[in-house]
Structures are given as C-alpha cells and as structure tokens.
Amino acid sequence: MFMPKRILFEKGSLDYEMAQKIYMKFKDKESIEIIHLTSNQLKQHIPGEDLYAQYREGKKTLVVGTKKSLKFQSCKPSAHYQLPLVLGCMGQCQYCYLNTQLGDKPFIRVHVNIDDIFVQAQKYIDERLPEGTLFEGAATSDPVPVEPYTNSLEKTIRFFGDNENAKFRFVTKYNDIDTLLGLAHNGHTEIRFSINTDSVINQYEQFTASRDKRIEASIKVARAGYPTGFLIAPVFIYPNWKEEYRDLLLRLRSKIPSDLVYPITFEVISHRYTTKAKNIIQQVFPDTTLPMLDEERKFKYGQFGYGKYVYPKESLEEIKQFFQKEIEELFNHKEVKYII
Ligand code: SF4
C-alpha cells in the first residue's frame, strides 16, 4: 500500500466521499503532511531543486483531485480507451515510461469523481454499440497501491461486472488485491501482473512488490475466477538470462491452478528505450546500470512516429524462440498474445 509523505487535497475534492475517506484515514498520522490547496499551484508544495529531487519527493506525494476533462484518451492497440482512475505510481522503476510521460510531475493523483467517470465511460460504450468496448485502467499509472483507500478498482470492477457491452483490464506490479477477490466481476475484468526475474526486479524496480508477492497475488485473482495474465517485461539479455527467465516460468507453472476457466495469457516485451527516456533516466538515476548503449541496439521507428532503440534482430529472434518454446512446453491452458 502506498503510504504518502504528503497529501494535497485540491479545492472541492473533499465534497466527494472518496476524498473524505482518504482524509479520515490519514489526518491523524503525524508522519503525513496534509495540505489543502486553494489554487492549482500544487508544484510549489513538492520540494526539489532539480529533476533528481523532484522525482523522489513527487513519488511520495498523493494528490487528491477530480478529473476535470472527461474526454478519455484512446489506448491503442491494447484497448479502446484509457479509464482515468489514477495517474502516476509510487514505484521507482528505472525504465518506467512514466518517467518520460510525467517528467517533473511524478506524483500520484487519484480522481475522486469516479461516478462522473463511469457516466462518461457509459457514453463511450453506448456510442460503439453493438460493438463491445475495452477500457484500460493502468495506461498511465499502477492503480493497485492506492486501492486500499480509494477502492476505485473495486467500484470499477463492479461497474463492468454489470455491463454486458464493455470490459476492463489493468496491469500491476503490486499485490494489494485482496479486496477485489470476492467481487461479482462476471469475467469482465482482466487482471495482468507484470513480472520479471529477481535480478531485474532487484536492480531496476525499486519500491514495487517482490516477484513472489506478485505471483501469490496472481494466483489469488486467478482462483477468484478473473481472466488472468502475465506481462513479462521488459526482458533483458544478461548473463544467465535464460536460466533466470526459465526459473521464473517454472515457478509460475508450479503455482498456477490447473482448473482455471480462462487461459493464462502471456505478453512478452523486450527492453527498448527512446533517446528522450534515456536522458531523463540518466538525470533521475545517475548510477543506473540499465543497458542503454545505442551502438548495441537497433534504431527503429515505432507506430507512434518516434524512434526507439531495440535489441538487434538476432537477439530479438532468440528472445522470441526462447519464450515461445518454454511457454509452450510448460503451460497447458494458456494463450501467448505476443512476444516482441
Ligand atoms: Fe512504472 Fe509500473 Fe514501475 Fe510504477 S510499477 S514505476 S508504473 S513500471
């Protein structure tokens, strides 16, 4: 669970039940500073002279506010729309795409006007009828560490559980999912866990749940009947990488129940970076050992028009063959969505 160092309540946010609940939970905690904002100037309340310090303080800051623009971003290719429950994440994964997206505003922002968000989601659902609509809840956040006091995912899963024309999915590196286990999800919410080898988690994924905690949580949601999947990402090539990823898959196989309704899904994504991301990472994590030597990579234009550095063709092929073979051999009831 995310325990912030400071909480900023935006003007008007305390009119909402979720904000009141957060306030009541934390108001008497001496270690937490509560700030009631009177204007939109929230950055001045988060200390830090440079990106390095702003990142570390921002990551300890919770902003409680409303989602004002209710125009949802599209979320191609993984879903039709982003569902804007939470923005930001308490994790400090060195390679995280949020480093580029959120820049000097890496704080965690929760949206308390969740009923307005559902009304808007329903409009998008109705517009697409008779086609179904898929919403992604973790496009710009990891919503799980704040779930114990927002209950946003709980409400969302109930909302989609009652909805025949829409589905919801999110991905997480955390394990605060116990409150989601007994909900009437009707198979309309897919929960994916982002996992990696211990070496990668220990080196690059600070302030996230351990590999085994994530696996334990994934087994709980699978047993609760949710469509469940694993995002193995980012995959790095390093000494012993095959042994360690095989060990990870073996561990999964030994834990996953054999009588699940839905196949376990796998998505595998090799490590890649943009020049912009690399520059930010080097400022925020000056001692990083992330492999980002351009000359060891292949430059490739992505579908969104900007270039990124991916592993060379032979390495990508090796990653593909390795995961295809291992997953095929180890798991019966599974679906490999892609290996890229
Ligand atoms: Fe980014 Fe996910 Fe790590 Fe959070 S847990 S910092 S969203 S990669």
Side-chain angles (χ1 to χ4, degrees):
M1 181 175 91
F2 176 42
M3 284 297 281
K5 184 172 169 187
R6 67 186 67 78
I7 308 179
L8 277 53
F9 286 90
E10 284 185 357
K11 224 171 145 186
S13 61
L14 279 161
D15 295 343
Y16 294 83
E17 191 192 338
M18 189 194 299
Q20 287 163 14
K21 221 175 107 193
I22 296 172
Y23 179 70
M24 293 308 285
K25 182 172 176 68
F26 292 112
K27 75 178 175 46
D28 297 325
K29 294 247 183 316
E30 276 181 16
S31 56
I32 300 178
E33 187 186 2
I34 303 270
I35 300 164
H36 295 280
L37 296 173
T38 49
S39 71
N40 291 337
Q41 304 291 317
L42 52 86
K43 263 193 73 186
Q44 70 198 52
H45 298 283
I46 307 171
E49 292 292 299
D50 52 19
L51 202 56
Y52 179 94
Q54 284 160 358
Y55 176 86
R56 280 158 184 78
E57 290 298 328
K59 285 279 184 179
K60 294 177 195 148
T61 303
L62 178 67
V63 177
V64 179
T66 52
K67 178 82 180 108
K68 282 155 197 105
S69 159
L70 285 168
K71 187 176 181 309
F72 293 2
Q73 301 287 318
S74 82
C75 195
K76 284 178 188 151
S78 71
H80 296 105
Y81 293 103
Q82 302 181 13
L83 193 75
L85 304 173
V86 181
L87 183 67
C89 170
M90 65 172 276
Q92 299 192 15
C93 302
Q94 297 184 16
Y95 57 76
C96 179
Y97 71 109
L98 292 181
N99 297 338
T100 322
Q101 287 230 333
L102 303 179
D104 62 348
K105 300 184 192 66
F107 44 79
I108 296 85
R109 181 184 168 87
V110 296
H111 294 135
V112 293
N113 55 334
I114 193 158
D115 293 328
D116 299 337
I117 293 172
F118 292 153
V119 168
Q120 185 63 31
Q122 189 60 52
K123 282 187 192 157
Y124 286 120
I125 295 166
D126 292 343
E127 270 172 26
R128 285 181 44 82
L129 287 173
E131 298 290 319
T133 306
L134 178 60
F135 292 84
E136 167 64 58
T140 52
S141 69
D142 190 317
V144 169
V146 292
E147 179 62 16
Y149 43 85
T150 61
N151 302 111
S152 295
L153 290 172
E154 180 180 332
K155 293 187 186 101
T156 305
I157 290 168
R158 288 186 201 281
F159 172 79
F160 284 97
D162 286 340
N163 206 309
E164 282 308 313
N165 303 302
K167 291 196 168 163
F168 176 55
R169 71 197 307 239
F170 64 91
V171 59
T172 184
K173 284 187 169 70
Y174 292 88
N175 61 327
D176 307 290
I177 45 75
D178 285 358
T179 51
L180 311 182
L181 298 178
L183 305 178
H185 56 77
N186 289 325
H188 297 176
T189 291
E190 180 194 13
I191 305 183
R192 292 131 71 227
F193 288 83
S194 167
I195 51 167
N196 221 312
T197 65
D198 265 344
S199 305
V200 171
I201 292 175
N202 294 339
Q203 278 186 84
Y204 304 128
E205 298 185 357
Q206 282 76 33
F207 299 98
T208 60
S210 68
R211 177 192 69 173
D212 290 349
K213 285 210 161 116
R214 295 181 211 174
I215 293 177
E216 195 187 316
S218 71
I219 303 309
K220 287 186 190 170
V221 303
R223 282 195 195 285
Y226 283 97
T228 305
F230 295 101
L231 181 65
I232 306 179
V235 170
F236 291 97
I237 293 185
Y238 58 93
N240 289 337
W241 69 275
K242 284 187 181 167
E243 285 74 10
E244 295 195 14
Y245 281 105
R246 186 176 295 120
D247 180 57
L248 174 69
L249 293 169
L250 279 169
R251 187 166 283 260
L252 281 183
R253 191 196 59 173
S254 71
K255 304 270 180 188
I256 291 173
S258 55
D259 55 349
L260 299 177
V261 179
Y262 300 100
I264 292 288
T265 61
F266 287 94
E267 297 158 85
V268 183
I269 307 176
S270 58
H271 178 243
R272 66 242 1 251
Y273 61 88
T274 61
T275 300
K276 186 175 174 196
K278 179 174 162 176
N279 290 338
I280 293 175
I281 292 167
Q282 286 172 339
Q283 285 179 66
V284 176
F285 301 100
D287 301 323
T288 189
T289 56
L290 273 175
M292 294 188 295
L293 281 177
D294 298 354
E295 50 277 25
E296 290 180 357
R297 298 296 181 104
K298 181 173 176 295
F299 186 74
K300 191 180 158 203
Y301 276 103
Q303 59 174 320
F304 300 111
Y306 53 83
K308 54 195 165 187
Y309 289 91
V310 300
Y311 277 113
K313 202 166 158 235
E314 309 72 54
S315 306
L316 282 179
E317 202 43 50
E318 204 181 348
I319 291 174
K320 267 187 200 167
Q321 284 184 6
F322 170 79
F323 280 100
Q324 241 156 16
K325 180 170 171 294
E326 295 295 326
I327 295 172
E328 186 54 42
E329 283 177 9
L330 290 173
F331 300 90
N332 292 324
H333 196 30
K334 48 65 175 66
E335 182 192 343
V336 179
K337 294 206 160 171
Y338 54 81
I339 304 174
I340 54 171

